[in-house]
Amino acid sequence: MKVQIMTDTRFGNGTKLAETLKGKFPDNYDVKIADVKEVSAEKVAEDVPDVIVLGGAVRMFMGDKKTIKWMKELNNCLKKSGKNIKYGTGFLTHALPTDKVQGYAKRFLEKINNTSAIEKTYSELLTARVEGQEGPILPEEMEKAINYAQSFITWCE
Ligand SMILES: Cc1cc2nc3c(=O)[nH]c(=O)nc-3n(C[C@H](O)[C@H](O)[C@H](O)COP(=O)(O)O)c2cc1C
């Protein structure tokens, strides 16, 4: 199984979270991490991963605009080639308390769910609160991420 984890990070918290998720996948999964600013949707669409994790951050009271744009491009590229990705989910890092970002999380997950080239979307988006604006991710949020990864991987299997 090929897994592609995408981030849009400024201070490295998204990458840290992606690495934590990667570490939970069994050895028979080939997991790659890339930033949407560096790797094009076209390239990932050519690779056709089995699993995609679309990560970003809440900024300026919005879910991640760059990742959402990238997700649309991915869908267009996959549709053109007639290929699908089997499983999808996502994550958002944020500075606000967790209960204040549930709306962003819901809308971000809906966007993944509406990406027609992703066949099945996991029922929950991972959110991870950072300390201040720049992080690091709070320790209890890292624990939450580990549990989330385990549930998500079980769901994919
Ligand atoms: C310009 C800017 C705007 C931000 N706006 C918000 C916001 O509206 N709500 C929020 O919870 N966090 C906000 N943050 C904090 C980011 O969510 C935080 O920097 C990010 O999650 C850290 O992850 P990263 O290191 O992967 O970029 C903002 C950060 C920046 C730099």
Side-chain angles (χ1 to χ4, degrees):
M1 291 268 268
K2 288 194 283 184
V3 182
Q4 182 68 53
I5 306 178
M6 299 308 298
T7 62
D8 169 27
T9 187
R10 283 195 200 178
F11 307 113
N13 297 285
T15 308
K16 175 88 184 107
L17 196 58
E19 277 163 2
T20 301
L21 298 178
K22 178 177 175 175
K24 300 318 288 179
F25 279 90
D27 289 347
N28 58 325
Y29 284 76
D30 169 21
V31 188
K32 288 186 190 138
I33 299 173
D35 194 295
V36 296
K37 299 187 287 302
E38 285 158 14
V39 172
S40 71
E42 199 175 2
K43 184 156 189 305
V44 171
E46 272 169 25
D47 198 35
V48 203
D50 301 286
V51 181
I52 190 141
V53 181
L54 292 147
V58 178
R59 293 190 194 100
M60 309 296 278
F61 304 101
M62 290 182 75
D64 199 298
K65 279 207 300 201
K66 283 200 186 103
T67 301
I68 291 167
K69 188 166 174 252
W70 191 96
M71 202 187 305
K72 282 186 190 149
E73 284 165 12
L74 177 75
N75 201 39
N76 290 339
C77 294
L78 286 166
K79 272 179 17 195
K80 264 188 219 155
S81 61
K83 301 266 168 63
N84 279 346
I85 294 175
K86 287 195 199 83
Y87 306 109
T89 191
F91 65 78
L92 284 173
T93 57
H94 57 94
L96 284 170
T98 303
D99 61 332
K100 299 275 188 292
V101 297
Q102 292 313 302
Y104 305 116
K106 187 169 173 267
R107 287 189 291 277
F108 197 74
L109 189 65
E110 267 166 22
K111 292 210 161 57
I112 301 173
N113 202 17
N114 292 338
T115 303
S116 55
I118 299 175
E119 288 175 12
K120 290 183 183 160
T121 301
Y122 192 52
S123 59
E124 196 192 335
L125 192 92
L126 174 65
T127 59
R129 189 180 182 191
V130 304
E131 203 178 305
Q133 293 283 310
E134 299 188 12
I137 295 172
L138 296 168
E140 62 271 26
E141 298 289 84
M142 290 308 278
E143 269 188 45
K144 187 174 84 181
I146 289 166
N147 291 333
Y148 178 91
Q150 279 159 347
S151 307
F152 175 68
I153 293 161
T154 305
W155 176 78
C156 292
E157 281 170 350

